[in-house]
Amino acid sequence: MEELSWEPLSPQAAVRVSRVHRFNTDTILLADFSMPKKGERCAELGAGCGVISLLWALRSDPARVFAVELQEDAAALCRESVEHNGLSGVMEVIRADLRDSALLRGFFEPGSLDRMACNPPYQTAGTGVESREAGERIARHEVACTFADIAACARFFLRWGGKFCCCQRPERLPAVMAELSRAGLEPKRLRLVQQRPQKAPFLFLLEAVRGAKPGLRVEPVLFVEGDAGGWSQEILGIYGTYKEGRI
């Protein structure tokens, strides 16, 4: 039986994780980048253990948060976290394939969501070294869905003017922006993430808006490390009451 553990999100909150279903810096950065406004209805696609959804529910005041996850073992971890943190009145875990719009319509109607986010698989199918572990393979490679599938789902359920946020490796930026535009989600806000100034970016954070006019705002680079080494002040601020000084 796989060993499970609790990882703190703050002194008062924690998330249930396993060796396969866990989270990293990218997850925390995307959660912060996509943080909802008060009263918004939101959904996280491919939620895994649900960290982004949990941070939304814990750090903002959304009306409702839906965590959509294909794999039952990951969804079960997410349900434990919802109960553990007393969020059952705000957050709901949906065990579903994001391509199954008919099933998802049982939870939220087309055009009804204000915000959606996804930390998608970084590798296209057939590239890189695929893990033998099914859960890791689904999380890292586009074997269960493509980015086009993710964009189509976001387009279907977001309201006009609703926002979709994602993160991805820089080499995939042109393809991601093209897929979003094809789906009617116009890229509007972009931020690159670098370890330090001398290094090339290793991640981008992107926000697209359904039905928006063209026009992209590129924000200042987010540096993980500070000038004197260690974590930058902005990274420490994003982590907030999480594990200060550790990522």
Side-chain angles (χ1 to χ4, degrees):
M1 184 175 181
E2 187 174 10
E3 184 178 350
L4 307 180
S5 62
W6 289 100
E7 280 285 328
L9 293 175
S10 77
Q12 297 81 32
V15 58
R16 193 68 156 164
V17 299
S18 68
R19 180 185 60 81
V20 174
H21 302 294
R22 53 196 187 276
F23 64 100
N24 57 20
T25 304
D26 298 3
T27 314
I28 301 295
L29 297 183
L30 180 57
D32 179 76
F33 183 80
S34 62
M35 193 62 63
K37 296 180 179 178
K38 181 178 180 178
E40 288 191 336
R41 287 169 50 84
C42 316
E44 179 189 1
L45 302 176
C49 61
V51 169
I52 290 174
S53 294
L54 288 165
L55 288 174
W56 284 352
L58 289 164
R59 295 188 177 182
S60 65
D61 189 17
R64 194 70 172 162
V65 174
F66 300 97
V68 181
E69 172 52 41
L70 173 64
Q71 302 178 76
E72 176 53 38
D73 54 346
L77 295 175
C78 195
R79 293 189 201 103
E80 279 194 65
S81 296
V82 171
E83 293 300 319
H84 178 80
N85 294 289
L87 295 172
S88 57
V90 178
M91 183 173 161
E92 183 172 0
V93 181
I94 303 172
R95 161 69 171 83
D97 188 325
L98 61 84
R99 297 170 297 182
D100 190 347
S101 59
L103 190 156
L104 291 178
R105 288 182 70 165
F107 298 90
F108 40 82
E109 287 298 314
S112 67
L113 297 179
D114 300 293
R115 187 176 304 262
M116 299 177 75
C118 182
N119 184 350
Y122 287 168
Q123 298 284 340
T124 56
T127 63
V129 179
E130 292 190 4
S131 171
R132 294 182 180 180
E133 169 60 55
E136 291 183 346
R137 189 165 59 251
I138 290 172
R140 298 174 183 176
H141 289 79
E142 292 183 344
V143 294
C145 69
T146 65
F147 191 82
D149 295 326
I150 295 167
C153 181
R155 160 65 177 79
F156 192 67
F157 289 105
L158 280 172
R159 64 170 173 81
W160 194 260
K163 296 177 179 179
F164 171 75
C165 296
C166 66
C167 60
Q168 185 53 276
R169 295 295 180 234
E171 58 268 26
R172 295 196 63 185
L173 179 58
V176 165
M177 293 181 70
E179 288 291 359
L180 290 171
S181 293
R182 272 194 288 270
L185 302 169
E186 189 62 32
K188 297 297 292 182
R189 184 164 67 104
L190 172 67
R191 191 168 196 192
L192 298 174
V193 184
Q194 294 177 216
Q195 192 68 27
R196 60 183 74 90
Q198 298 79 12
K199 295 287 187 178
F202 67 86
L203 185 76
F204 70 80
L205 301 162
L206 183 64
E207 178 184 272
V209 178
R210 184 186 171 194
K213 295 179 180 179
L216 180 68
R217 182 173 85 249
V218 181
E219 298 184 345
V221 172
L222 172 56
F223 293 106
V224 174
E225 295 183 15
D227 294 337
W231 309 122
S232 69
Q233 287 302 307
E234 186 169 8
I235 286 289
L236 291 175
I238 289 171
Y239 267 72
T241 54
Y242 181 58
K243 297 178 179 178
E244 185 175 354
R246 176 184 167 192
I247 294 182

